[in-house]
Amino acid sequence: MSALRFSSLIILFPILFGACGRSELIRIRMLTPVTEDKKDYAIFTDTKSSSTPVIINKQIGGSLYILFKSIGLGYTTITTKMEKTDTNLKEETTLVTNFTDVAFGIGENYSFMWGAGVLSGGKMETSLEDGSNSFYPKNNYLGGHSIFFVLGHHGFGFETLLGYRTNFIKAEFEESDLPSTVGKTGKDFTYESNKISLTTSQVQLGIGFTF
């Protein structure tokens, strides 16, 4: 099942379960990412290296949701910094993604919230260093969507929240500005395509307030 179809099912989920345990509370929820999947997001490969590269991924950001009973809106911003260091090449990418979210929730003391987001803004910047030279591929497109769910426990006037979010990102960079040492084949540093698909995931923690 594709990610887009999965997102559609998530949005349609309330039709099936709308009559089961709908919340009568107004909720304000705030979450922040605490861990990022340790994947290799690098675009370029050092063809002369036989060693294992060092990969470091870091993220900052947060989500804000306002739910009126069982439906709400949210806004999420996540900045993911991805670094890969190899023998002759160091690649750094900063991915800033802003999502407009639609959320649905059921339950009172124990609650479940789920939803999907559409990328409404952001940027992707990549830098490459091959020892003595640095170059910066120009990104000219960024799009995507996301899905998420949040578990909540209500007590003593506020909620404690645990969530998980997956973001599906598509980007594209210009090939005309690349140096002669970089190409799809037969170069010191290669890449498969200038059209990039990334899937990032974060575990989130947060608090909420009910009215």
Side-chain angles (χ1 to χ4, degrees):
M1 180 182 295
S2 67
L4 185 59
R5 291 181 180 178
F6 190 38
S7 300
S8 300
L9 289 178
I10 288 179
I11 295 175
L12 293 174
F13 192 79
I15 298 177
L16 301 177
F17 292 91
C20 301
R22 288 186 295 180
S23 173
E24 296 299 323
L25 299 174
I26 297 175
R27 304 174 188 264
I28 297 177
R29 290 177 160 181
M30 297 169 286
L31 296 103
T32 186
V34 292
T35 62
E36 171 78 35
D37 281 356
K38 295 183 178 180
K39 296 180 180 179
D40 183 358
Y41 296 111
I43 304 169
F44 300 90
T45 300
D46 183 355
T47 59
K48 294 183 178 181
S49 175
S50 59
S51 62
T52 301
V54 178
I55 298 172
I56 300 175
N57 298 327
K58 299 179 180 179
Q59 79 292 312
I60 58 174
S63 301
L64 175 65
Y65 298 97
I66 300 178
L67 278 80
F68 299 92
K69 297 185 178 181
S70 295
I71 189 171
L73 296 174
Y75 181 81
T76 297
T77 179
I78 300 173
T79 299
T80 303
K81 295 185 177 181
M82 301 164 280
E83 179 181 315
K84 179 180 178 180
T85 304
D86 213 329
T87 304
N88 304 303
L89 181 67
K90 181 178 181 180
E91 178 180 341
E92 293 181 326
T93 296
T94 299
L95 176 63
V96 179
T97 51
N98 303 319
F99 295 92
T100 300
D101 298 336
V102 176
F104 306 96
I106 55 175
E108 296 287 349
N109 292 331
Y110 293 92
S111 62
F112 179 65
M113 183 180 79
W114 69 98
V118 176
L119 189 70
S120 55
K123 62 181 180 179
M124 183 174 179
E125 298 176 344
T126 300
S127 66
L128 297 171
E129 298 180 8
D130 63 355
S132 57
N133 300 310
S134 299
F135 45 99
Y136 306 88
K138 182 180 179 181
N139 292 281
N140 55 19
Y141 171 78
L142 186 67
H145 64 282
S146 65
I147 56 176
F148 59 88
F149 70 86
V150 177
L151 301 175
H153 174 252
H154 182 270
F156 304 104
F158 66 95
E159 298 177 297
T160 53
L161 307 171
L162 172 64
Y164 188 80
R165 186 182 190 97
T166 299
N167 312 296
F168 305 92
I169 308 299
K170 292 185 180 296
E172 184 177 338
F173 64 87
E174 293 185 3
E175 298 176 288
S176 58
D177 296 333
L178 297 177
S180 58
T181 55
V182 180
K184 291 184 178 180
T185 58
K187 302 293 184 177
D188 294 340
F189 311 110
T190 61
Y191 61 95
E192 292 184 359
S193 173
N194 68 319
K195 296 181 179 180
I196 308 161
S197 295
L198 301 175
T199 301
T200 65
S201 299
Q202 299 89 25
V203 174
Q204 297 177 306
L205 294 178
I207 60 173
F209 303 93
T210 59
F211 303 92

